[in-house]
Amino acid sequence: PRGLEAGLADERGALGAQSLAPGDGGGGVAGDLALVYRANLESRVATRILMLVGQGKYASEDDLYQAAYKLSWPEWFEVKRTFMVKVTAVRCPLKSLEFVTLRIKDAVCDRFRTAGGSRPDIDTRQPEVRIHAFLTADEYRLYLDTSGNALYQRGQRRNSVEAPLRENLAAGILKLTGWQPGTPLFDPMCGSGTFLLEASMMALDMAPGLHRTFGFENLNSFDSGIWNVLRQQAQQLVKPLDFMQIYGSDADLRAVRVAKQNLEQADLLEAVWLQQKDITQAEAPAESGVLIANPPYGVRIGEQEELAALYPKIGETLKKRFAGWNCYFLTSDLRLPKLMRLAPSKKTPLFNGPLECRLFEIKMVAGSNRKDAR
């Protein structure tokens, strides 16, 4: 997610990867197959791990066809594998990205026909192999996707309530707060429990990709021996399940039930304390800790007024009951701190999908709230 490039760079460093140039919403590394597998298995922030297979200049759709045709696709995956092509572009001069997608797809199929007389089938819903093309004004890059489904899909069946937070954004936000396992963590607007799930996995040293499959398993280069060793090593690092001082609540009983179901399905329920309670009635579960919340954004008509009435009440709750806590709110509603009558110590720009948001840091210093901050 855009805004979490620094967190991604930290993960690359932890993997021991040779970092290449960072980018907007991403960053490059150089390494071997084991690095590809570990990055998919262990990254909490990345959305996809893409392998660069071709790059160069282009001026027309035919240039892109020729560029894709010259690549050795049959060496990378078998003709029996289904595939799809996804094209994204910035300042691309070509008229139709759909036509570009079609030309690259035709080039891949024609390359297979030339090599062996038959072509792979297309599957745009659940392909076994994904090819990504990224175009600028005059340059192209072609990638094989080693992840398959996006990495925020952790592999556990998930229920959700309205406007769920993606898992990798939640994990990145947890890192931005500086929260460390062992420190009390409280989400008083937990929804379907995404912050609770991600925090629990962090606290237990559970790799986020431990219970899912990946796109690299469908490539000819797949080495099951290396992969099985890496997965076993990750499994051995997981700590015994226990309560990890992670707390969650929500005013909506249905949301609490969904959060409980998700935690149960992930075998993480014992790590979390969960209850139904409105945020304005919430009480601090410890003397100090990290409070994190993703309140409603007020997108619908009428919700802006409701939120304008709610924010001051949240502010009063924080002043009365959360002295000593560091509080974080992810929202696209920039009125939040002012209406809470609290001054943020930090404002971090983030994107929740297409929505530009801020992560507001509000430190509730113990003993400093003798009067409302005006």
Side-chain angles (χ1 to χ4, degrees):
R2 284 181 293 167
L4 295 179
E5 292 86 353
L8 189 67
D10 289 343
E11 287 190 336
R12 296 202 305 270
L15 288 168
Q18 176 192 341
S19 290
L20 304 179
D24 182 19
V29 296
D32 56 11
L33 276 180
L35 176 67
V36 172
Y37 300 167
R38 282 191 63 205
N40 277 287
L41 178 64
E42 298 176 19
S43 177
R44 300 186 190 278
V45 177
T47 300
R48 294 185 179 278
I49 312 295
L50 304 177
M51 183 169 67
L52 182 67
V53 294
Q55 61 183 327
K57 298 280 189 178
Y58 79 97
S60 67
E61 292 89 345
D62 189 59
D63 290 342
L64 294 170
Y65 172 90
Q66 295 297 335
Y69 180 80
K70 73 180 182 183
L71 295 175
S72 303
W73 303 107
E75 292 183 13
W76 293 319
F77 64 95
E78 296 179 16
V79 69
K80 68 180 181 180
R81 300 292 188 187
T82 60
F83 82 101
M84 70 169 288
V85 175
K86 180 176 176 61
V87 177
T88 53
V90 176
R91 298 185 298 277
C92 174
L94 303 180
K95 292 181 179 179
S96 171
L97 291 186
E98 288 185 12
F99 185 56
V100 171
T101 304
L102 181 64
R103 292 298 284 151
I104 295 173
K105 181 201 73 174
D106 287 345
V108 175
C109 290
D110 290 347
R111 189 73 170 82
F112 270 95
R113 281 201 190 96
T114 301
S118 58
R119 50 153 285 180
D121 291 331
I122 304 296
D123 184 344
T124 57
R125 296 178 68 86
Q126 283 295 325
E128 294 171 285
V129 175
R130 299 168 191 253
I131 296 167
H132 293 256
F134 180 71
L135 310 178
T136 61
D138 62 350
E139 294 184 344
Y140 72 86
R141 289 192 174 198
L142 290 166
Y143 298 91
L144 273 174
D145 186 343
T146 71
S147 299
N149 289 331
L151 293 180
Y152 57 77
Q153 299 177 27
R154 303 303 200 203
Q156 294 118 348
R157 188 169 64 84
R158 289 290 308 276
N159 300 300
S160 66
V161 291
E162 188 178 352
L165 198 65
R166 284 183 173 174
E167 288 81 350
N168 58 339
L169 177 57
I173 289 170
L174 285 167
K175 291 187 177 189
L176 285 174
T177 69
W179 173 76
Q180 294 292 324
T183 302
L185 180 78
F186 180 33
D187 181 355
M189 306 179 87
C190 69
S192 56
T194 307
F195 280 126
L196 307 179
L197 283 156
E198 292 300 308
S200 299
M201 286 195 289
M202 289 180 182
L204 294 168
D205 281 338
M206 183 182 292
L210 202 53
H211 301 293
R212 56 162 284 169
T213 58
F214 296 95
F216 61 72
E217 296 176 64
N218 297 322
L219 300 179
N220 293 342
S221 60
F222 177 53
D223 188 321
S224 60
I226 294 174
W227 172 233
N228 288 335
V229 168
L230 290 172
R231 192 162 53 179
Q232 288 168 9
Q233 289 174 345
Q235 184 65 62
Q236 289 168 359
L237 291 174
V238 180
K239 296 174 182 175
L241 184 59
D242 197 2
F243 176 56
M244 305 304 291
Q245 294 192 75
I246 298 169
Y247 304 83
S249 62
D250 200 286
D252 183 353
L253 179 58
R254 185 174 69 91
V256 174
R257 286 172 175 164
V258 169
K260 182 179 179 182
Q261 289 170 2
N262 288 328
L263 288 160
E264 282 179 333
Q265 288 162 10
D267 292 325
L268 293 170
L269 185 59
E270 287 182 40
V272 178
W273 184 86
L274 201 58
Q275 71 168 349
Q276 180 196 9
K277 183 169 278 192
D278 191 282
I279 187 172
T280 61
Q281 303 299 317
E283 297 182 3
E287 287 188 7
S288 63
V290 172
L291 181 149
I292 190 164
N294 177 35
Y297 292 174
V299 175
R300 292 201 185 114
I301 296 173
E303 288 182 340
Q304 289 281 325
E305 291 78 7
E306 292 177 19
L307 290 173
L310 175 63
Y311 291 151
K313 295 177 183 177
I314 295 176
E316 287 301 316
T317 299
L318 297 181
K319 292 170 194 173
K320 290 177 181 176
R321 305 194 189 110
F322 286 86
W325 281 67
N326 292 340
C327 304
Y328 296 84
F329 293 87
L330 176 71
T331 182
S332 63
D333 190 343
L334 304 186
R335 306 173 302 163
L336 181 143
K338 185 176 181 180
L339 290 174
M340 280 187 180
R341 300 188 184 94
L342 291 167
S345 50
K346 193 181 293 185
K347 308 172 188 177
T348 305
L350 291 172
F351 282 82
N352 186 1
L355 278 178
E356 185 174 357
C357 299
R358 294 291 183 276
L359 180 67
F360 291 110
E361 175 188 78
I362 300 172
K363 294 189 174 183
M364 305 304 297
V365 180
S368 66
N369 296 309
R370 294 182 298 272
K371 294 183 180 180
D372 287 356
R374 297 296 179 184

